Amino acid sequence: MSDSAAADLDPAALRALAESSTAWPFEEARKIVARLKQHPKDEVLFETGYGPSGLPHIGTFGEVARTTMVRHAFRVLTDDKIKTRLIAFSDDMDGLRKVPDNIPDKELVAAHLGKPLTRVPDPFGTHPSFGEHNNARLRAFLDAFGFDYEFASSTEYYKSGRFDATLLKMLEHYDAVMEIILPTLGPERRATYSPFLPVDIRTGMVLQVPMVARDAKRGTVTYEHPDTGERVTTSVTKGMVKCQWKADWAMRWTALRIDYEMAGKDLIDSVKLSGEICRVLGGRPPEGFTYELFLDDKGQKISKSKGNGLTIDEWLRYASPESLSLFMYREPKAAKRLYFDVIPRNVDEYAQFLDGYKRQDGKQRLTNPVWHIHAGTPPDTSVPLSFTMLLNLVSASNAENAETLWGFIGRYWPGVTPQSHPRLQREVEYAIHYFRDFVLPAKKFREPSDGERAALMDLRDALSQLPDDATAEAIQEVVYEVGRRPPFLDEKKKGKDGKPGVSLDWFNLLYQVLLGQEKGPRFGSFVAIYGLKNTIDMIDGALARSA
């Protein structure tokens, strides 16, 4: 199939390819298609959840991005004939359990611990409540990435009565719900547990108290007030109670008829329990997907409270949103390190997938991550050099501004400018940020041995004999020729031209002594862009340092 044919597939042909595609979003979407065959509906609801006790984080992005990919895959499988909606649900009626570390005016917030987030004053002073402030941040966050979603507030849904019918059903099946939950709790927690958390009329606190009486016909529960000991009877509707979170999840699935929701590996047991409660309430648990958790540079689980790992703002300081989407797309069921050193590889691999897409047929394109990242229409753009190469150019020249880098780029690729290649312009800025924050502090130049000094001098002399317009291939051949001498000659290896091989020690020497780092680019390509004279000067500098 030609590129043009692959690009212009009609919906039926595209669907046929999607039905057999091994890409995980299609595998997930086919589960929803099968669900609809058993239980037909006019629309399919996808949901992602958010606890607004803190600001949106990189895991929030991952869940919404991955769910959006599955949603698009479902639309392809159904010729977009079934309406779909993505609900971003904020559990803003949850009681605030502790004061976050990263907010101003902590004393103001501390005075309202235990209240729903939408009843806690906003320490930032921009919204009526802390919950509404964080909800606004969530919406701005999702909007910045162009996600198509509907925002839902737990407080609004409870108070408006949208959950009333299901809450009454939970009251009716109270004993069955308790039978599911109680065996999972310790003795102390079991003694006080109730799926309903009353909201104190006087203080606004969400109370963790046992129920002493229930009246399913009247829709009320009765509890002893923890401060006064008096018996209080309250309705379970109109926002007078808030469900405990596992019961709340099940209640929400049932009331909204959610069809698909992802969850992290740490919530496997919660998904199972909520599913059982959902069935008791007469609902059908959504199709789901369990994704692995992110790890920090030490292999520890990333935690909002610990602040380890990488934030969304940090990633976007050093790389594009598309590279982050690629990170989220790939191997969602494998635990992955989410730290600064994964950024360059994801930037370069995104560019490689984008470049490869142009040469792929329709079937191959549906397994290419960029098809899913861009909802089937990847941009027709390219970058003439890798992010890794940009980093090495910055590192070699200690570039402090974009103009220096563009000098190298424009000399090697006449006509390539920030205006003609805006994506490259962004990556130049990303590379400078990354270099300043991570590469420069870690730079450590190794001194060469006497034998290595001699080899570097030979390389310098050989490079000086080349014409200024020598190609990257010609330069690389010179690098190899110099390396084909003891102690770097490797007789056991053979090059493509049949000549003896070169030990990796030769290239490690170039990276460690010249660039002050452990790894580097294909050296011939680097020299071609950096310039022969600049490279010779760099070698002279290294030799002078170790003289």
Side-chain angles (χ1 to χ4, degrees):
M1 181 182 297
S2 69
D3 280 352
S4 59
D8 297 329
L9 286 173
D10 62 70
L14 182 60
R15 185 184 68 248
L17 291 173
E19 286 173 348
S20 60
S21 176
T22 58
W24 70 261
F26 284 119
E27 292 177 344
E28 290 301 295
R30 287 195 287 267
K31 288 159 50 175
I32 308 172
V33 172
R35 174 190 182 92
L36 287 187
K37 288 180 180 177
Q38 294 181 338
H39 302 273
K41 288 178 65 180
D42 293 333
E43 70 173 4
V44 168
L45 268 67
F46 297 80
E47 183 180 54
T48 62
Y50 169 64
S53 58
L55 300 178
H57 58 95
I58 207 160
T60 308
F61 173 89
E63 190 165 311
V64 178
R66 287 167 171 168
T67 304
T68 296
M69 293 173 189
V70 176
R71 180 186 180 190
H72 177 252
F74 173 81
R75 293 175 63 184
V76 170
L77 285 171
T78 56
D79 293 335
D80 209 11
K81 293 178 179 176
I82 299 174
K83 182 181 178 182
T84 63
R85 292 160 54 206
L86 170 58
I87 297 174
F89 194 93
S90 171
D91 192 14
D92 58 17
M93 199 171 163
D94 197 22
L96 181 65
R97 295 177 180 84
K98 65 178 183 178
V99 179
D101 293 329
N102 59 346
I103 62 170
D105 207 349
K106 294 180 182 179
E107 294 77 15
L108 171 70
V109 172
H112 296 272
L113 283 173
K115 292 183 181 179
L117 289 156
T118 44
R119 291 196 183 187
V120 177
D122 178 17
F124 296 91
T126 60
H127 291 79
S129 71
F130 187 39
E132 287 167 280
H133 173 271
N134 287 344
N135 285 341
R137 293 289 297 270
L138 171 67
R139 291 197 297 272
F141 173 83
L142 298 178
D143 292 343
F145 292 105
F147 288 120
D148 176 27
Y149 70 97
E150 297 174 21
F151 177 77
S153 159
S154 176
T155 300
E156 179 186 336
Y157 276 42
Y158 268 97
K159 288 188 173 182
S160 68
R162 292 189 66 167
F163 288 152
D164 283 359
T166 311
L167 289 166
L168 290 170
K169 195 172 291 185
M170 184 171 289
L171 179 59
E172 181 184 346
H173 297 283
Y174 187 94
D175 290 333
V177 172
M178 292 287 279
E179 285 177 12
I180 293 170
I181 295 290
L182 291 183
T184 69
L185 306 176
E188 186 176 334
R189 184 85 174 87
R190 197 179 302 150
T192 62
Y193 182 85
S194 165
F196 297 112
L197 302 174
V199 179
D200 191 337
I201 295 176
R202 288 174 296 179
T203 66
M205 303 277 284
V206 179
L207 302 176
Q208 297 256 4
V209 290
M211 299 298 106
V212 296
R214 311 183 305 276
D215 189 330
K217 290 183 178 179
R218 297 180 63 187
T220 62
V221 290
T222 302
Y223 63 94
E224 288 187 358
H225 197 282
D227 295 332
T228 65
E230 67 177 309
R231 290 202 165 193
V232 180
T233 298
T234 187
S235 171
V236 299
T237 60
K238 303 299 182 188
M240 300 304 295
V241 301
K242 163 78 168 67
C243 286
Q244 298 258 19
W245 97 266
K246 292 172 188 174
D248 183 90
W249 210 6
M251 184 275 299
R252 190 194 314 161
W253 286 348
T254 305
L256 302 181
R257 299 182 69 197
I258 300 298
D259 294 292
Y260 189 86
E261 182 161 3
M262 295 184 172
K265 183 181 179 181
D266 55 337
L267 297 180
I268 288 177
D269 291 340
S270 297
V271 170
K272 181 176 179 293
L273 285 175
S274 296
E276 291 178 19
I277 296 171
C278 181
R279 292 186 184 92
V280 164
L281 299 179
R284 180 176 171 81
E287 304 305 314
F289 179 84
T290 301
Y291 54 82
E292 259 289 1
L293 306 178
F294 299 128
L295 309 176
D296 65 12
D297 59 326
K298 298 179 179 62
Q300 301 297 311
K301 173 188 167 186
I302 282 179
S303 162
K304 280 195 293 184
S305 59
K306 289 181 183 177
N308 57 339
L310 196 61
T311 69
I312 191 87
D313 289 337
E314 286 169 333
W315 186 293
L316 296 180
R317 172 172 166 78
Y318 308 114
S320 67
E322 294 84 1
S323 65
L324 178 56
S325 292
L326 173 63
F327 180 84
M328 296 301 176
Y329 174 86
R330 302 183 76 181
E331 301 174 331
K333 290 194 173 184
K336 294 187 291 187
R337 282 164 38 95
L338 180 56
Y339 210 63
F340 300 103
D341 56 0
V342 307
I343 291 176
R345 180 171 66 88
N346 280 276
V347 174
D348 282 342
E349 290 184 352
Y350 169 77
Q352 291 163 12
F353 282 121
L354 194 60
D355 184 61
Y357 183 83
K358 304 167 189 173
R359 299 184 294 276
Q360 292 176 323
D361 63 25
K363 181 179 180 181
Q364 293 168 329
R365 288 182 169 193
L366 295 195
T367 59
N368 188 324
V370 299
W371 190 93
H372 298 274
I373 290 169
H374 295 285
T377 55
D380 186 18
T381 60
S382 63
V383 173
L385 74 167
S386 68
F387 189 67
T388 302
M389 182 64 78
L390 278 174
L391 284 176
N392 283 294
L393 287 172
V394 181
S395 183
S397 60
N398 288 308
E400 287 298 318
N401 55 67
E403 288 74 22
T404 303
L405 273 185
W406 279 106
F408 297 126
I409 296 167
R411 184 186 61 79
Y412 192 72
W413 285 286
V416 174
T417 67
Q419 292 72 35
S420 68
H421 286 70
R423 196 173 127 221
L424 179 57
Q425 167 72 342
R426 291 195 299 272
E427 295 203 358
V428 163
E429 297 291 344
Y430 291 142
I432 291 172
H433 290 159
Y434 195 93
F435 168 74
R436 288 174 180 168
D437 293 352
F438 301 109
V439 179
L440 184 59
K443 260 184 177 290
K444 187 177 181 182
F445 294 95
R446 176 172 73 78
E447 288 195 6
S449 65
D450 290 343
E452 291 172 336
R453 281 180 60 85
L456 286 172
M457 291 175 70
D458 288 344
L459 177 61
R460 180 205 183 284
D461 293 342
L463 291 177
S464 68
Q465 301 301 312
L466 290 173
D468 290 341
D469 60 352
T471 65
E473 291 72 20
I475 297 170
Q476 186 74 6
E477 181 55 34
V478 167
V479 175
Y480 270 114
E481 281 302 320
V482 175
R484 289 192 181 102
R485 305 172 192 176
F488 305 110
L489 179 66
D490 189 341
E491 295 281 7
K492 295 179 181 179
K493 286 183 180 179
K494 291 291 181 183
K496 293 180 180 179
D497 55 5
K499 294 181 180 180
V502 180
S503 166
L504 286 177
D505 291 342
W506 170 233
F507 297 99
N508 290 336
L509 160 67
L510 299 179
Y511 304 144
Q512 294 166 5
V513 174
L514 301 181
L515 298 177
Q517 56 199 50
E518 291 300 316
K519 297 178 181 180
R522 190 170 188 268
F523 204 72
S525 300
F526 166 73
V527 174
I529 301 171
Y530 189 48
L532 284 165
K533 183 181 184 305
N534 289 327
T535 304
I536 291 168
D537 289 345
M538 182 169 61
I539 295 173
D540 287 341
L543 292 172
R545 282 196 307 270
S546 60

